[in-house]
């Protein structure tokens, strides 16, 4: 009888890093860490999280599945995480951009479009054999409609109100509560090493205000316009038409609030009248947990980055569809299979 394989599931975002050790899909240990700093190397940050969990909750032959904000083909190196964590029981590592785990958390095996909206936002769609990613380009170049985007718009609106350049808004009161010396708030925020998460933290307050504050309402309306636009672009990018019946879902903290979710649903129903707008299959961690067992036939499978150990001397596995290469590690007497396609 096969022994259950422990899986360490890691959802690494710009607001926090959540880690869950589970066996047979049943959680046995959970821990939350400080946010992922996407302007710093990602793999060392992930390695520290993996080691911290497994030193606190030891296990052997662990599969690590991690989804990271800001993951690219250039910085995805599952082999380095595996090498740094083999001594604490890690046997394999699979990495993905958090858009992939967001999609799987929303739709699982279904085809359609999924929005993962938190501090940042990325929309991913799949067709019969293809995929399309929209946005997820970070707070400087994109993430339209995200928590950061809403928070940033609210902070600007507050300062416009303070300068009498814009309409009065209760958002200014929120900022002044946190920064009594309002004219130095921008210095305090810019110098904060977790400034992205700090700015995004205003999103929930702005969304709550949207029921009685016109400026907040305008920001929320614009945010849902952006998210609806991204869904439409992702579906069209994978061949869906307005007469089709794709599945649409979303996951993420800002979309748990009906003041965001209800108008987004209404806009999508008008634009895609035949779509199935469904509740998410699970949360981000449930999406990450699907990565190690994602079937090779899934359109998102080529986007995974994988490294695993096997017995020394095994003949390298030929590349699968041009996406997988094999590396021999003489120092550690293991074989690492690494997929380095796009994320």
């Amino acid at each position: 009888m096969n022994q259950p394989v422990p899986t360490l599931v890691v959802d690494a975002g710009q607001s926090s890093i959540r880690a869950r050790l589970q066996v047979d899909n049943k959680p046995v240990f959970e821990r939350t860490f400080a946010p992922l700093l996407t302007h710093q190397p990602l793999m060392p940050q992930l390695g520290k999280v993996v080691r911290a969990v497994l030193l606190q909750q030891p296990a052997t032959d662990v599969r690590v599945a991690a989804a990271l904000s800001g993951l690219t083909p250039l910085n995805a190196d599952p082999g380095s995480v595996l090498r740094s964590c083999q001594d604490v029981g890690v046997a394999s590592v699979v990495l993905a951009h958090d858009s992939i785990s967001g999609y799987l958390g929303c739709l699982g095996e279904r085809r359609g479009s999924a929005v993962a909206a938190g501090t940042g936002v990325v929309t991913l769609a799949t067709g019969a054999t293809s995929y399309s990613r929209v946005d997820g380009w970070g707070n400087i170049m994109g993430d339209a409609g995200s928590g950061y985007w809403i928070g940033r718009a609210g902070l600007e609106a507050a300062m416009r109100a303070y300068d009498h350049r814009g309409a009065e808004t209760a958002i200014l009161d929120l900022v002044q509560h946190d920064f009594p010396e309002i004219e130095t708030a921008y210095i305090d925020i810019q110098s904060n090493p977790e400034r992205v998460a700090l700015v995004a933290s205003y999103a929930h307050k702005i969304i709550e205000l949207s029921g009685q504050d016109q400026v907040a309402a305008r920001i929320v309306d614009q945010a849902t316009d952006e998210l609806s636009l991204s869904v439409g672009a992702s579906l069209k990018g994978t061949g869906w038409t307005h007469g089709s019946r794709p599945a649409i879902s979303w996951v993420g903290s800002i979309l748990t609030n009906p003041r965001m979710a209800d108008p987004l649903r209404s806009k999508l129903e008008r634009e895609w009248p035949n779509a199935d707008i469904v509740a998410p299959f699970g949360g981000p961690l449930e999406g990450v947990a699907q990565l190690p067992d994602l079937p090779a036939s899934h359109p998102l499978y080529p986007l995974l980055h994988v490294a695993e150990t096997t017995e020394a001397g095994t003949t390298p596995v030929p590349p699968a569809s041009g996406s997988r290469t094999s590396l021999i590690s003489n120092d550690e007497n293991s074989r690492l299979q690494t997929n380095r396609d796009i994320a």
Side-chain angles (χ1 to χ4, degrees):
M1 183 175 180
N2 293 330
Q3 292 294 321
V5 177
T7 302
L8 176 55
V9 181
V10 181
D11 176 41
Q14 297 177 79
S15 294
S16 67
I17 299 175
R18 297 172 60 206
R20 174 191 294 166
L21 185 64
Q22 58 187 46
V23 179
D24 281 348
N25 294 319
K26 297 178 181 178
V28 297
F29 179 80
E30 292 194 23
R31 183 173 168 185
T32 300
F33 296 83
L36 185 73
L37 302 178
T38 55
H39 61 283
Q40 295 183 10
L42 303 184
M43 298 300 101
Q45 296 179 70
L46 175 60
K48 289 180 180 178
V49 168
V50 171
R51 293 188 65 84
V53 171
L54 295 179
L55 287 172
Q56 189 171 353
Q57 186 74 25
T60 58
D61 295 326
V62 178
R63 303 188 305 178
V64 172
L68 299 90
S69 179
L71 191 74
T72 71
L74 295 178
N75 62 26
D77 187 1
S80 70
V81 178
L82 178 57
R83 287 188 291 270
S84 69
C85 298
Q86 278 184 290
D87 65 314
V88 291
V90 175
S92 66
V93 176
V94 55
L95 307 179
H97 188 270
D98 60 359
S99 62
I100 297 172
S101 62
Y103 181 97
L104 296 174
C106 283
L107 296 179
E109 286 291 303
R110 299 192 68 175
R111 302 292 191 263
S113 178
V115 180
T119 298
V121 64
V122 62
T123 301
L124 200 64
T126 62
T129 59
S130 63
Y131 72 92
S132 175
R133 168 179 162 173
V134 173
D135 209 344
W137 308 130
N139 61 80
I140 295 176
M141 298 174 65
D143 286 352
S146 69
Y148 180 91
W149 188 94
I150 293 170
R152 168 67 177 77
L155 292 175
E156 179 180 353
M159 298 317 295
R160 285 182 173 275
Y162 180 77
D163 288 340
H164 304 291
R165 292 179 293 132
E168 293 184 2
T169 173
I171 301 173
L172 177 57
D173 298 330
L174 294 177
V175 181
Q176 285 183 309
H177 178 269
D178 295 336
F179 301 96
E181 298 295 331
I182 190 69
E183 294 190 6
T184 64
Y186 75 103
I187 298 294
D188 296 331
I189 294 172
Q190 290 176 12
S191 61
N192 190 316
E194 297 182 8
R195 56 188 171 275
V196 173
L198 174 60
V199 172
S201 69
Y202 283 93
H204 292 283
K205 302 171 186 177
I206 293 167
I207 294 168
E208 280 299 323
L209 279 176
S210 64
Q212 63 267 11
D213 185 280
Q214 290 186 351
V215 173
R218 173 179 53 79
I219 293 171
V220 169
D221 184 56
Q222 291 174 344
T224 53
D225 280 346
E226 293 288 353
L227 297 178
S228 177
L229 180 65
S230 291
V231 169
S234 71
L235 289 171
K236 293 172 185 175
T238 46
W240 296 94
T241 66
H242 291 289
S244 312
R245 194 173 180 178
I248 300 175
S249 189
W250 51 76
V251 67
S253 58
I254 64 170
L255 288 173
T256 59
N257 192 316
R259 296 187 187 278
M260 279 284 290
D262 290 349
L264 176 59
R265 176 183 289 273
S266 296
K267 292 173 183 180
L268 289 171
E269 288 174 342
R270 288 196 300 269
E271 187 72 13
W272 297 88
N274 296 320
D276 284 333
I277 301 178
V278 297
F281 169 82
L285 284 173
E286 285 71 31
V288 180
Q290 296 179 58
L291 295 176
D293 301 313
L294 193 68
S297 60
H298 198 288
L300 300 178
Y301 177 81
L303 306 184
L304 305 185
H305 306 263
V306 182
E308 56 189 13
T309 59
T310 63
E311 294 180 3
T314 303
T315 302
V317 177
S321 303
S323 67
R324 183 178 290 268
T325 60
S326 301
L327 304 175
I328 301 294
S329 171
N330 293 323
D331 292 338
E332 296 188 19
N333 200 30
S334 66
R335 176 166 59 84
L336 303 180
Q337 297 178 333
T338 306
N339 177 338
R340 299 183 183 282
D341 263 24
I342 56 175

